[in-house]
Amino acid sequence: MLEISHVCKSYGAHPALKDVSFSIGPGELVGLFGENGAGKTTLMKSILGLVRHRGAVLLDGEPITRANIHRLSFATCEHSFFPNLTPAGHRDFYRDHFPRWREKRFQALMEFFQLPVQVPRKLSTGQKNQFEVVLALCQGADYILMDEPFAGNDVFNREDFYKVLLGLLEPTETVLLSTHLLEEVEQAISRAVLLRRGELVGDVTTLELEEREETLMDYVKSAYHYRADRVLRTLDQLAEGEEGEEP
């Protein structure tokens, strides 16, 4: 169990996370959603201990330390691989440092994405993100955190990857996936967690949404108090302004 308890984080006078608490159990595939600046990346970095924060993050009741950090992996669009080390070099490094390295999965995912053998710094943005995901999934971690992993990837790669992801995960593997692509991942995730301006504003399972006959998008709009007339109001204001301008 991964427990996030009363986590707070501020950057200067700006609060990025405000008393966020929830837990994730083994085998869940959780979508982490929120607008830009909602605190998604900060939350993931707080879980991993990459930023200092208040509150607690516990893994099976224990703080995250060097003794158990190997049970967490991270795929970030900021990239954490070695830019001048080939995929084979990464495989050897990870295999030496992570005893639960998944060799067969690595080979299958490299082939699935059709990634070349050249060093990552020469790859496209989409390929770099794909390679980052491959390493996170093959490390052998119990909890896999992914922060906007599909930036720069075409819709076909994304759609097929969700299917592969559901097929390769073992019952004890858990994924926390941050993305703006709500409608694409709705059928893949088992639960949705919503952040808004650093606060937890929603936490629902997809089964609960199905029972309520509510889509994920409708749920998010409701939690965010989305105003459907915002576009029309803006266009009306612009039209009024143009009419009032002198030629």
Side-chain angles (χ1 to χ4, degrees):
M1 179 75 71
L2 182 63
E3 300 174 75
I4 296 93
S5 180
H6 303 290
V7 168
C8 302
K9 172 64 182 175
S10 295
Y11 295 103
H14 174 68
L17 294 173
K18 307 174 186 176
D19 198 35
V20 174
S21 297
F22 66 98
S23 60
I24 305 173
E28 290 193 84
L29 204 167
V30 181
L32 179 63
F33 305 112
E35 60 201 343
N36 293 328
K40 302 185 299 296
T41 298
T42 297
L43 176 61
M44 288 196 170
K45 289 184 176 180
S46 296
I47 292 171
L48 293 159
L50 299 177
V51 297
R52 301 180 70 175
H53 59 84
R54 300 190 305 278
V57 177
L58 303 176
L59 182 56
D60 291 339
E62 299 291 335
I64 308 296
T65 66
R66 291 184 179 181
N68 60 7
I69 189 64
H70 65 278
R71 295 184 57 198
L72 302 176
S73 66
F74 188 33
T76 166
C77 54
E78 296 174 359
H79 304 141
S80 60
F81 49 68
F82 304 107
N84 294 312
L85 191 63
T86 64
H90 278 87
R91 177 199 61 206
D92 295 341
F93 176 85
Y94 274 66
R95 190 164 51 193
D96 289 343
H97 289 79
F98 298 101
R100 296 172 60 189
W101 169 256
R102 300 177 183 274
E103 179 67 25
K104 185 176 181 181
R105 183 182 291 185
F106 177 77
Q107 297 295 342
L109 288 175
M110 290 292 291
E111 183 176 343
F112 169 77
F113 286 120
Q114 297 181 326
L115 289 170
V117 297
Q118 63 198 67
V119 295
R121 65 180 174 83
K122 295 183 178 180
L123 301 177
S124 69
T125 297
Q127 289 174 321
K128 289 177 181 177
N129 292 335
Q130 291 166 1
F131 188 56
E132 183 85 3
V133 167
V134 170
L135 294 175
L137 285 169
C138 296
Q139 177 183 314
D142 296 317
Y143 291 84
I144 304 158
L145 282 60
M146 298 185 185
D147 186 18
E148 296 291 351
F150 305 116
N153 276 261
D154 60 76
V155 64
F156 302 110
N157 251 328
R158 297 196 305 264
E159 183 178 339
D160 288 346
F161 176 71
Y162 302 135
K163 299 174 184 176
V164 170
L165 181 64
L166 291 174
L168 66 81
L169 289 175
E170 296 182 359
T172 56
E173 288 182 285
T174 305
V175 174
L176 179 62
L177 170 63
S178 169
T179 179
H180 292 290
L181 306 173
L182 280 74
E183 293 171 317
E184 285 192 10
V185 302
E186 184 171 8
Q187 300 304 315
I189 62 173
S190 58
R191 178 178 163 201
V193 172
L194 275 60
L195 292 179
R196 187 184 191 196
R197 298 173 184 170
E199 295 185 272
L200 183 69
V201 295
D203 188 349
V204 67
T205 67
T206 52
L207 180 59
E208 290 172 329
L209 291 178
E210 289 177 11
E211 291 174 346
R212 297 189 328 224
E213 298 183 349
E214 184 177 10
T215 68
L216 176 59
M217 182 63 76
D218 288 338
Y219 176 77
V220 172
K221 286 182 176 180
S222 176
Y224 266 57
H225 305 294
Y226 174 74
R227 296 190 60 177
D229 64 340
R230 60 188 296 222
V231 174
L232 183 59
R233 287 188 294 108
T234 299
L235 294 176
D236 286 344
Q237 289 174 1
L238 290 172
E240 291 173 1
E242 291 177 355
E243 291 174 359
E245 290 180 0
E246 295 182 2

